[in-house]
Amino acid sequence: MPFIQFDGGKMTKEKKAELVAKLTETAQEVLGIPTQAFSVIIRENDMDNIGQGGKLLSENHK
């Protein structure tokens, strides 16, 4: 069973549904595996929980 993981920022339910559909569709086209075989997990990350270059992303995006 193929597994797709996406890490990103906060999204609406509608955006998540669109992302899952498009990721699954593209992976199915590339790999030739039925869409029903794919599982997708979306991990939403707050910018206070991610660091880059020694600083929190929330500090870099003020």
Side-chain angles (χ1 to χ4, degrees), residues 4-36:
I4 300 168
Q5 179 176 315
F6 179 86
D7 287 86
K10 300 283 184 187
M11 291 179 271
T12 64
K13 184 176 181 180
E14 293 77 20
K15 286 291 182 188
K16 291 179 204 179
E18 181 181 358
L19 180 62
V20 167
K22 289 186 177 185
L23 287 172
T24 303
E25 178 184 345
T26 300
Q28 183 277 323
E29 289 172 3
V30 171
L31 299 173
I33 299 170
T35 57
Q36 298 83 357

Side-chain angles (χ1 to χ4, degrees), residues 29-49:
E29 289 172 3
V30 171
L31 299 173
I33 299 170
T35 57
Q36 298 83 357
F38 290 92
S39 294
V40 179
I41 185 168
I42 297 172
R43 295 184 177 175
E44 294 179 300
N45 300 296
D46 191 88
M47 286 202 282
D48 285 339
N49 296 337

